[in-house]
Amino acid sequence: RGGYESASKHFNPADVEVDVAGRSFLVTGANSGIGKATAKEIARRGGTVHLVCRNKERAEVAKEEIVTETGNQNIFLHIVDISNPKEIWKFAEKFQKEHKLNVLINNAGCMVNNRVLTEDGLEKNFATNTLGTYIMTTALVPLLEKAADARVITVSSGGMLVQKLNISDLQSGSGPFDGTMVYAQNKRQQVVLTEQWAKAHRNIHFSVMHPGWADTPAVRSSMPDFYERMKNSLRTEDQGADTVLWLAVSAEATKLPSGLFFQDRQPVPTHLPLAYTHSPPEDEEKLMEVLEEFSQKFKSVSPG
């Protein structure tokens, strides 16, 4: 929290005091934590918000809260499990026919501390954090390409700084399984995805960010020891969401190049000094190829 408090002294409040009526935002993992805080702030500013959540009951409570607190009725709910690639494809195909989209916020994530496989045989963290983010984004790129001032923001983590991209074991099948390190590897992959997308799609502004360590349900459940030690100095959900909001609504964000990694409204390096975490370009290209192969495998060919 201290880092946020000192950084925020230099923020320009006017950056986020904007009216986004008529613009459409999609937030994944929007029923709690940073996702919900972001969705609520966008709703306050008049945006149309699509909440993409896995749990129907919790999602309905979150939607109700956002509508009540902001008075904004343009809040829509979509129930999608981001660890299920077929569901994402199906959702994206339907969404493109029915809605427009200006800003995609990839916030859904998970940190599962044991190696669990989804019904598709995918390791759960990889399925949600990496493949789910990849499919949601690539499936919606055609819709974003049609929009004015289109943006994609992915919520990563500073934990990725300890990981070098490893494409040899994307599903963590060899060696002992450490959920925290798997999560950090997925978050490194999200940084690489963002950089690659920024090169490929010049009409869309891509960014990836570290929210700082915030007091969210996800941190409490997946990192209980860390939470107990740090709970008095964690950021609030709103502080964690601040840079997501800034990247989503401010005019300042898009003055900076596409593909950067942000913390507290500033671009920051994606590698620590002297760290051996840089990967060769061919590894980064290989990651994109492998994810594309995976994603196509789950894309059902709808008749007509």
Side-chain angles (χ1 to χ4, degrees):
R1 194 184 307 154
Y4 176 83
E5 285 163 359
S6 64
S8 65
K9 294 189 178 100
H10 307 287
F11 293 171
N12 179 0
D15 285 0
V16 293
E17 283 167 13
V18 289
D19 179 355
V20 290
R23 283 176 67 75
S24 174
F25 299 77
L26 188 155
V27 186
T28 67
N31 63 327
S32 70
I34 287 164
K36 185 171 80 172
T38 303
K40 195 179 286 181
E41 289 306 318
I42 291 169
R44 269 193 229 290
R45 289 159 176 76
T48 295
V49 187
H50 295 274
L51 313 173
V52 172
C53 309
R54 187 184 54 192
N55 182 303
K56 192 168 190 291
E57 290 71 37
R58 288 210 299 255
E60 281 169 351
V61 171
K63 177 188 168 180
E64 193 58 40
E65 184 187 315
I66 293 169
V67 171
T68 306
E69 284 191 30
T70 66
N72 185 338
Q73 300 294 323
N74 292 320
I75 313 297
F76 301 93
L77 193 52
H78 310 272
I79 305 302
V80 185
D81 182 349
I82 303 291
S83 72
N84 183 323
K86 294 189 206 77
E87 259 185 53
I88 303 172
W89 273 119
K90 209 176 290 177
F91 159 75
E93 281 166 12
K94 185 171 187 291
F95 189 89
Q96 290 193 63
K97 295 185 184 116
E98 297 171 1
H99 304 282
K100 64 170 204 157
L101 184 63
N102 298 88
V103 181
L104 167 62
I105 298 170
N106 290 309
N107 164 72
C110 70
M111 187 196 293
V112 181
N113 288 313
N114 301 306
R115 192 169 187 275
V116 177
L117 299 184
T118 66
E119 60 186 44
D120 297 305
L122 300 167
E123 190 275 316
K124 183 88 176 189
N125 294 291
F126 166 78
T128 308
N129 303 326
T130 302
L131 186 61
T133 299
Y134 178 86
I135 295 177
M136 183 64 80
T137 306
T138 49
L140 291 174
V141 155
L143 190 57
L144 287 159
E145 293 272 15
K146 299 176 192 163
D149 186 14
R151 309 179 187 195
V152 175
I153 299 127
T154 300
V155 178
S156 178
S157 165
M160 66 91 195
L161 290 165
V162 303
Q163 286 281 316
K164 177 181 178 177
L165 179 66
N166 172 13
I167 53 167
S168 66
D169 187 22
L170 287 177
Q171 304 210 55
S172 316
S174 60
F177 186 90
D178 179 336
T180 310
M181 286 301 115
V182 171
Y183 177 82
Q185 172 65 217
N186 296 162
K187 295 294 163 178
R188 167 63 71 190
Q189 291 159 2
Q190 290 178 342
V191 170
V192 172
L193 290 180
T194 300
E195 292 168 348
Q196 296 294 319
W197 284 328
K199 288 182 204 160
H201 307 288
R202 302 290 184 179
N203 300 341
I204 302 171
H205 190 271
F206 288 88
S207 53
V208 58
M209 57 79 68
H210 173 40
W213 298 103
D215 186 349
T216 63
V219 166
R220 288 183 210 185
S221 65
S222 57
M223 304 170 75
D225 299 345
F226 170 81
Y227 174 73
E228 276 309 312
R229 279 201 316 277
M230 301 295 291
K231 62 184 173 191
N232 296 324
S233 51
L234 294 174
R235 299 176 174 210
T236 64
E237 291 173 349
D238 284 340
Q239 290 170 342
D242 175 81
T243 296
V244 189
L245 179 72
W246 182 81
L247 288 165
V249 305
S250 81
E252 293 307 303
T254 51
K255 290 178 185 170
L256 292 157
S258 181
L260 299 179
F261 181 66
F262 287 82
Q263 182 174 352
D264 294 333
R265 303 191 188 182
Q266 290 290 325
V268 291
T270 54
H271 300 277
L272 294 170
L274 308 177
Y276 295 95
T277 51
H278 295 267
S279 47
E282 53 269 29
D283 280 10
E284 299 182 355
E285 284 155 25
K286 180 72 178 163
L287 174 70
M288 302 307 276
E289 282 168 29
V290 171
L291 292 177
E292 184 57 23
E293 278 168 31
F294 263 120
S295 80
Q296 291 302 324
K297 204 165 35 177
F298 295 106
K299 186 178 183 180
S300 62
V301 182
S302 49

